[in-house]
Amino acid sequence: MIETVRFWAVIALLAFGLFFTFVSAVGVIRLPDVYTRAHTASQTDTLGAGFTLAGVALALGWTEVTVYTVLLLFFVFITNPTAAHAIARSAAESGIEAWTVDAAEEGEER
Amino acid sequence: MIEGLDEVFLAAAAGFVVLAIVMFYRALAGPTTQDRLLAVNVLGTNTVVVLALLSVGLGEPWFLDVALIYALLNFLMAVAISKFTVERGGVL
């Protein structure tokens, strides 16, 4: 009984992780400028990686390898938004203008 | 470890690899340096997840060590390049 619940919980976590990483890929390809792309990369990609690593940790159970997976989950959760913030701030300091509807109507490319 | 999930993990790893290959478009075509850096950062996160999935799917625990080091290097790479593309290193 409890094994069946764990089986389907792992599959649900992996499916959620794949879905959020798909959303992140669509956002990074389709959104108009670097700031919106940094936003989608920091939010959905962190959530997708977190769900998938949680699924891996749940499938492994109580072993010493699980400690590595939980450490990896914690580490990705801390560092991924920090890196996206540093990249967005670097874009701001090198003078890249944010995308607006007015600039898009004048035909400027980003 | 639950029986019968190995193929599920390998299939999920294949899905993540496909999404990582899609992300290469932004790394190659991104108009600014920061776009490319962001795409490579997302690619690195995907690589870490693929390594963890392969580790549990193939039953090789030491892949997780590689994933941990890769995540660390990925973070360092993103912060260092975003620091040194700005004049006088004004980030952070």
Side-chain angles (χ1 to χ4, degrees):
Chain A
M1 175 58 200
I2 195 74
E3 284 299 299
T4 317
V5 171
R6 214 168 68 147
F7 184 88
W8 289 106
V10 169
I11 289 184
L13 282 171
L14 289 185
F16 271 127
L18 261 175
F19 170 72
F20 279 110
T21 310
F22 175 72
V23 172
S24 157
V26 170
V28 170
I29 297 297
R30 291 286 299 160
L31 283 174
D33 75 339
V34 65
Y35 301 107
T36 49
R37 284 177 208 139
H39 172 78
T40 188
S42 63
Q43 304 241 2
T44 47
D45 201 51
T46 309
L47 197 58
F51 269 129
T52 314
L53 290 173
V56 170
L58 187 63
L60 284 171
W62 283 108
T63 55
E64 62 265 32
V65 187
T66 315
V67 178
Y68 286 99
T69 316
V70 174
L71 264 180
L72 196 60
L73 170 59
F74 182 71
F75 195 69
V76 166
F77 218 78
I78 298 291
T79 57
N80 216 350
T82 314
H85 168 79
I87 292 167
R89 187 160 168 195
S90 143
E93 304 236 335
S94 19
I96 298 171
E97 300 268 329
W99 180 87
T100 57
V101 177
D102 292 342
E105 279 170 356
E106 285 168 20
E108 285 182 33
E109 288 291 321
R110 295 258 174 250
Chain B
M1 183 64 211
I2 310 173
E3 294 300 315
L5 269 179
D6 292 358
E7 286 81 8
V8 176
F9 282 122
L10 293 182
F16 272 96
V17 167
V18 169
L19 290 176
I21 290 172
V22 169
M23 212 75 75
F24 259 113
Y25 168 75
R26 187 52 71 193
L28 293 175
T32 63
T33 312
Q34 279 80 16
D35 277 315
R36 296 171 208 273
L37 184 55
L38 190 75
V40 171
N41 193 27
V42 175
L43 261 170
T45 311
N46 276 5
T47 310
V48 168
V49 173
V50 165
L51 275 172
L53 286 170
L54 283 184
S55 156
V56 65
L58 300 175
E60 307 260 13
W62 54 274
F63 276 18
L64 282 172
D65 299 349
V66 182
L68 210 55
I69 306 259
Y70 197 90
L72 205 139
L73 282 178
N74 190 34
F75 174 62
L76 264 180
M77 183 273 303
V79 171
I81 297 181
S82 60
K83 187 170 170 61
F84 294 124
T85 47
V86 176
E87 194 179 351
R88 296 173 64 203
V91 176
L92 294 184

